């Protein structure tokens, strides 16, 4: 089958364990307690998450068993397909072999249910009755709402206020799954009230909504927090993506030279690339790994590698990460899932050790490549995913110019069916690149907690 385009595994091939990069990655700075500055322990985390997840957050064990009930729900859309983008290759007239791993087949349309399902399972096991979380454009909120519905948990989602009003369909999806969706900043929390007292018209941010969700989880024994990205255990759960991809490349009798993912907080990127990096660190083949981020929120290409909070009010543990500062407010680009000030500590550490590269791309180029992809491969990509496509297209064109063939894999983290407004803006010519004001960036960086390494 020389023209094969789809590499499919069976239900029995869904991975039985998640892979923890921390086992093979030397170094790495611990999370610190926001009050004392001491290294975070399981006991510090159990106020907002079950012991099982707190242990996964801090462990260096290489493999964590995936509970059978979680695998069974995964089976509805996993193993996800690996496609060879033969039509895109022809359009680009490239000798490169381009593959993509498609996570848009989950009920919520992205990779996020891979961890939402696991988190809901462990919380249900622990007797928790409600999960609180934040969401920007609504992808994480809808994934956790789905998971809550499947496990019989109440879900409260603090949704960034400007998105709550501008993107009603994701809110409706959350409500359809039975969740309660609250525009943030809200009057329900001290963090929200403090922001509103200063600025009654505050449009909200992911950092503020996170503070609200954590405050609620910490203050109520029956409520826990569900994190959509950044944290170690979230990236851990996403590693089913890369493990499946490795098995699919064996079917294809190929192996990627380059692996690319888009990065908001780093979870789909880590999920796809960490199993490949793990093989490399254990003596296997070397891969070039590229993280694609927006020029308007350039966490890895222009941020500091420093301890910072994950939220605005400073309630999360201090995380050593690439960050633009927890007070940074990114411009309103359409890839809402990439508008986050920080980056997962594990991704940040891999970047610091030069195991991966980071590249910043602008919105207009991303949409151009996303549309070329939709017109050749048929899938309308999420605006976030177009960042990975843009880098893949660049690398494929480089192959044409250098007259060399390379195998390129990128993560197609989700579909864009809820983002057609952004496509309309692009197609009508009204979409602009959002320039990042250097003064805003340096002001936010100046407000870093300024901790020296522990
Ligand atoms: C949320 C989201 C992202 C960004 O989050 P990561 O944690 O960096 O993966 C990327 N793509 C899609 C489709 C998303 O929903």
């Amino acid at each position: 089958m020389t023209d094969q385009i789809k590499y499919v595994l069976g239900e029995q091939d869904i991975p039985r364990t998640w892979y923890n990069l921390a086992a093979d990655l030397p170094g790495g700075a611990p999370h610190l307690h926001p009050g004392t500055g001491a290294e975070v322990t399981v006991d510090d985390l159990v106020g907002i998450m079950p012991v099982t997840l707190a242990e996964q957050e801090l462990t260096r064990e290489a493999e964590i068993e995936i509970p059978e009930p979680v695998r069974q729900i995964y089976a509805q859309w996993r193993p996800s397909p690996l496609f060879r983008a033969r039509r895109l290759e022809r359009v680009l007239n490239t000798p490169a072999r381009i593959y993509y791993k498609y996570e848009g087949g989950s009920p919520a349309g992205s990779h996020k249910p891979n961890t939402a399902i696991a988190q809901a399972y462990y919380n249900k096991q622990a007797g928790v009755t409600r999960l609180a979380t934040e969401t920007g454009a609504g992808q994480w909120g809808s994934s956790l709402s789905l998971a809550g519905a499947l496990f019989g948990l109440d879900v409260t989602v603090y949704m960034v206020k400007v998105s709550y009003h501008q993107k009603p369909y994701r809110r409706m999806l959350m409500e359809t799954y039975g969740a309660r969706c609250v525009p943030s900043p809200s009057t329900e929390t001290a963090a929200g009230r403090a922001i509103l007292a200063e600025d009654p018209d505050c449009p909200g941010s992911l950092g503020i909504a996170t503070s609200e969700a954590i405050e609620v989880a910490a203050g109520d024994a029956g409520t826990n927090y569900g994190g959509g990205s950044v944290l170690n255990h979230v990236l851990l759960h996403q590693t089913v993506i890369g493990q499946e991809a490795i098995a699919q490349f064996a079917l294809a009798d190929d192996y990627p030279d380059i692996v690319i993912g888009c990065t908001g907080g780093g979870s789909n990127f880590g999920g796809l690339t960490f199993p490949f990096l793990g093989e490399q660190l254990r003596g296997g083949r070397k891969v070039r790994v590229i993280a694609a981020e927006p020029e308007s929120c350039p966490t890895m290409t222009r941020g500091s590698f420093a301890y910072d909070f994950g939220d605005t009010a400073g309630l999360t543990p201090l995380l050593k990460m690439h960050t633009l500062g927890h007070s940074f407010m990114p411009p309103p680009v359409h890839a809402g899932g990439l508008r986050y000030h920080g980056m997962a500590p594990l991704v940040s550490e891999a970047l610091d050790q030069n195991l991966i590269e980071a590249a910043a791309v602008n919105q207009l180029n991303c949409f151009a490549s996303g549309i070329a992809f939709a017109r050749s491969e048929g899938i309308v990509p999420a605006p976030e995913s177009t960042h990975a496509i843009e880098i893949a297209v660049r690398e494929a064109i480089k192959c044409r110019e250098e007259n060399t063939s390379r195998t390129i894999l990128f993560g197609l983290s989700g579909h864009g069916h809820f983002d057609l407004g952004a496509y309309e803006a692009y197609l009508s010519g009204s979409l602009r690149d959002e320039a990042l004001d250097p003064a805003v960036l340096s002001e936010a960086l100046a407000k870093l907690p300024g901790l020296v390494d522990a």
Side-chain angles (χ1 to χ4, degrees):
M1 276 245 274
T2 51
D3 286 342
Q4 191 169 350
I5 63 159
K6 187 175 173 186
Y7 299 90
V8 189
L9 301 168
E11 207 169 307
Q12 70 284 355
D13 303 314
I14 296 170
R16 293 184 187 277
T17 56
W18 290 299
Y19 167 65
N20 181 13
L21 181 69
D24 293 308
L25 187 69
H31 303 346
L32 301 182
H33 190 285
T36 66
E39 191 169 332
V40 160
T41 63
V42 167
D43 285 347
D44 294 328
L45 297 176
V46 291
I48 58 167
M49 64 179 77
V51 175
T52 40
L53 291 174
E55 286 172 352
Q56 289 178 14
E57 183 60 29
L58 303 180
T59 186
R60 280 189 177 262
E61 219 174 292
E63 293 187 342
I64 309 290
E65 192 179 328
I66 305 177
E68 263 321 298
V70 173
R71 284 185 80 235
Q72 199 164 58
I73 293 174
Y74 279 175
Q76 189 178 345
W77 70 93
R78 308 214 70 83
S80 68
L82 176 78
F83 291 107
R84 169 93 183 261
R86 291 187 186 270
R87 293 185 298 264
L88 179 66
E89 289 169 16
R90 280 199 285 277
V91 167
L92 298 174
N93 189 24
T94 175
R97 294 185 298 279
I98 306 175
Y99 297 81
Y100 57 98
K101 178 79 168 153
Y102 183 46
E103 291 295 313
S106 79
S110 76
H111 64 289
K112 290 196 171 81
N114 295 333
T115 184
I117 298 298
Q119 292 186 42
Y121 168 79
Y122 289 117
N123 276 287
K124 184 70 181 182
Q125 290 283 101
V128 165
T129 57
R130 180 168 71 136
L131 293 174
T133 198
E134 73 285 345
T135 199
Q139 289 141 320
W140 170 242
S142 51
S143 298
L144 199 67
S145 302
L146 159 74
L150 299 184
F151 285 101
L153 293 166
D154 292 336
V155 176
T156 301
V157 181
Y158 293 90
M159 183 172 187
V160 176
K161 192 176 279 174
V162 57
S163 303
Y164 181 93
H165 293 299
Q166 282 176 358
K167 306 204 166 180
Y169 290 109
R170 283 271 172 199
R171 168 171 62 77
M172 291 173 204
L173 182 59
M174 292 183 246
E175 289 170 350
T176 300
Y177 285 135
R180 193 171 71 93
C181 191
V182 182
S184 166
S186 79
T187 53
E188 294 187 1
T189 64
R193 288 189 295 270
I195 299 271
L196 289 172
E198 264 187 38
D199 178 8
D201 299 321
C202 176
S205 73
L206 266 179
I208 295 169
T210 305
S211 297
E212 293 208 87
I214 290 187
E215 182 184 324
V216 167
D220 174 15
T223 303
N224 267 343
Y225 170 72
S229 189
V230 182
L231 296 169
N232 296 342
H233 68 275
V234 176
L235 274 64
L236 176 80
H237 299 155
Q238 294 294 350
T239 58
V240 288
I241 304 173
Q243 293 184 71
E244 289 174 4
I246 288 173
Q248 286 161 315
F249 270 99
L251 289 181
D253 198 17
D254 205 345
Y255 199 84
D257 299 300
I258 305 174
V259 185
I260 302 160
C262 67
T263 44
S267 76
N268 87 86
F269 171 82
L272 175 68
T273 67
F274 286 1
F276 286 99
L277 286 174
E279 292 223 313
Q280 175 184 322
L281 288 166
R282 293 189 301 275
R285 265 183 73 164
K286 191 166 160 41
V287 281
R288 193 174 154 219
V289 173
I290 309 174
E293 67 180 10
E295 271 181 3
S296 57
C297 191
T299 315
M300 287 177 287
T301 51
R302 290 174 70 186
S304 298
F305 186 40
Y307 272 106
D308 195 11
F309 297 108
D311 69 324
T312 305
L315 303 176
T316 69
L318 284 156
L319 308 172
K320 178 91 184 279
M321 59 182 176
H322 286 86
T323 178
L324 300 168
H326 61 279
S327 62
F328 178 72
M329 285 264 194
V333 288
H334 282 283
L338 306 186
R339 294 179 64 234
Y340 182 68
H341 69 271
M343 183 49 55
L346 278 171
V347 173
S348 297
E349 183 64 31
L351 179 66
D352 192 57
Q353 294 188 23
N354 294 317
L355 281 172
I356 65 170
E357 303 164 31
V361 283
N362 72 42
Q363 174 163 261
L364 285 173
N365 287 340
C366 289
F367 271 97
S369 287
I371 283 177
F373 180 82
R375 289 179 185 174
S376 55
E377 296 295 313
I379 299 170
V380 177
E384 290 83 0
S385 313
T386 63
H387 291 67
I389 297 173
E390 165 64 9
I391 297 289
V393 166
R394 280 191 203 175
E395 290 297 326
I397 290 173
K398 220 184 281 173
C399 286
R400 179 179 71 206
E401 289 165 355
E402 295 170 3
N403 203 14
T404 43
S405 178
R406 291 189 194 96
T407 298
I408 299 171
L409 165 65
F410 70 86
L412 188 61
S413 51
H415 68 64
H417 296 178
F418 288 92
D419 304 287
L420 290 172
Y423 279 89
E424 184 191 30
Y426 177 81
L427 292 169
S428 69
S430 62
L431 196 74
R432 297 274 171 270
D433 270 325
E434 301 285 346
L436 175 59
D437 183 346
V440 171
L441 183 54
S442 40
E443 193 183 323
L445 284 172
K447 287 190 196 147
L448 279 170
L451 282 187
V452 283
D453 271 17

